Amino acid sequence: MRYLLYYWPTIQGRGEFVRLALEEAGAEYVDVARRSGKGMGVPALLRFIEDEKLGDAPYAPPFLKTGKLIIGQTANILLYLGSRHDLAPRGETGRLWVNQLQLTVADFVTEVHDTHHPISSALYYRQQKAEARRRTKYFRTERIPKFLGYFEQILQRGGRGRYLAGNSLSYADLSVFQLIAGLRYAFPKAMKKQERDFPGLVNLHDRIAARPNIAAYLASKRRIAFNQDGIFRYYPELDG
Amino acid sequence: MRYLLYYWPTIQGRGEFVRLALEEAGAEYVDVARRSGKGMGVPALLRFIEDEKLGDAPYAPPFLKTGKLIIGQTANILLYLGSRHDLAPRGETGRLWVNQLQLTVADFVTEVHDTHHPISSALYYRQQKAEARRRTKYFRTERIPKFLGYFEQILQRGGRGRYLAGNSLSYADLSVFQLIAGLRYAFPKAMKKQERDFPGLVNLHDRIAARPNIAAYLASKRRIAFNQDGIFRYYPELDG
């Protein structure tokens, strides 16, 4: 099974949650917008977004193409990949549970994005700096503890074992790895203070980073470095 | 099959997308927080959110209980209900497509919420009025056209027929009905100007409203009126 992943070529962004799943699975995939040549590059991505005649166009990247199927929305792509690559439980209850966790990750990711863009994505950060500072204060002091506290509770309680959905890794674990990595990049001071409250998540992060496929990926050029264009951005003035 | 729906008792909010699906399906359900008595009311809802020992606690309402299964996250609940009540295609491709549409609805709903709460949900609207005004200007002029334009395109092109997923109603159609109704309540002036650009969606809204189960629901006391505590709020100063 060969996948075509369509996502912006210079950022981790929401595409990274899909990349991590594909890498952990050892799946064969092409990161289309990062390649050149026929059918590759950003134009190939834009073709799907801008073709007004397309009846099943995705709203935005990332989207995944496999055969004739085009799947959009990060959590939806992961729902699909999870069932095919043993990255989610087989039973319906378990699959719904992992999807639920992933949707909560997605909510949090939107809030991370809006720390630096609280007014509009059509404006630059410098055009909404005052609002960003105000929003991020609440993000650091209320939202990080609430969301990470939730995932920590899930990991620690209910006898769920070593991963968020029990004894086996799921794509939600890979996504929580990315949350911890991204928050450390964007809010190093805030995270240094708060990490002691989430020992389970920090440990989960480390275990994911050490998995052979993930470790190889993180060390490769396929992993785009965090930068100031992605969802997780480091602006010292937002770190408190 | 008897469902217990847990959602805040005085607003439509995100719970309304679930209510609409349950009502269209003619499913037997109890809107727990709106009832009194044993195991009912807001305390019954809070028990799930606040019990730190619960291993499969939902992050937030709405959540649905059926037997021992607790399902959280609106789109996840609808994924479950869709397959059981003929509110989504049977095949995997169709189910993923409807889930993808629903996740795009969810993204839009978050943006609607943030028009009046661009800084923090922990603050009152009056404490973030200036930022709300600035964010909502972009919401009205850029985000409404972009999201509704997307759904209009899906409805009109690609030979998809009368509904977003083809010739049969899905829960995504019910959700788009709710978007149109909510936007009309919150932004009457902006919508009056823009509606001519979305004739397919307006027509879809009217067809949904006229469906027997939905019409009966909308005329009943079970339908909470739009109000100033929900996601869709009417503040004249935000309507341009």
Side-chain angles (χ1 to χ4, degrees), chain A residues 51-59 69-73 75-76 79-80 83-84 92-93 96-97 99-100 103-104 107 110 114 117-120 122-123 127-128 131 134-135 138 142-143 146-147 150 153-154 157-158 160, chain B residues 51-59 69-73 75-76 79-80 83-84 92-93 96-97 99-100 103-104 107 110 114 117-120 122-123 127-128 131 134-135 138 142-143 146-147 150 153-154 157-158 160:
Chain A
D51 182 352
E52 294 191 351
K53 291 199 192 71
L54 210 61
D56 55 359
Y59 177 76
L69 184 60
I70 302 169
I71 312 167
Q73 283 282 358
N76 196 41
L79 185 69
Y80 175 87
S83 65
R84 268 161 189 74
E92 185 188 29
T93 299
L96 288 168
W97 171 245
N99 186 43
Q100 176 177 329
L103 293 173
T104 305
D107 287 345
T110 296
D114 284 5
H117 278 77
I119 300 300
S120 170
L123 299 173
Q127 295 173 296
Q128 49 197 311
E131 295 94 339
R134 195 169 175 219
R135 177 157 182 150
Y138 289 96
E142 303 197 0
R143 306 307 281 174
K146 188 166 179 198
F147 276 96
Y150 172 75
Q153 168 191 331
I154 296 302
R157 313 289 167 90
R160 283 196 167 270
Chain B
D51 182 352
E52 295 192 351
K53 291 199 193 71
L54 210 60
D56 55 359
Y59 177 77
L69 184 60
I70 302 170
I71 312 167
Q73 283 282 358
N76 196 40
L79 185 70
Y80 175 86
S83 65
R84 268 163 190 73
E92 185 187 30
T93 300
L96 288 167
W97 171 246
N99 186 43
Q100 177 177 327
L103 293 173
T104 306
D107 287 345
T110 296
D114 285 5
H117 278 76
I119 300 299
S120 170
L123 299 173
Q127 295 173 297
Q128 48 196 316
E131 295 93 339
R134 195 170 176 220
R135 177 155 182 154
Y138 289 96
E142 303 197 1
R143 306 308 279 174
K146 188 166 180 198
F147 276 96
Y150 172 75
Q153 168 190 330
I154 296 302
R157 313 288 166 88
R160 283 198 166 270

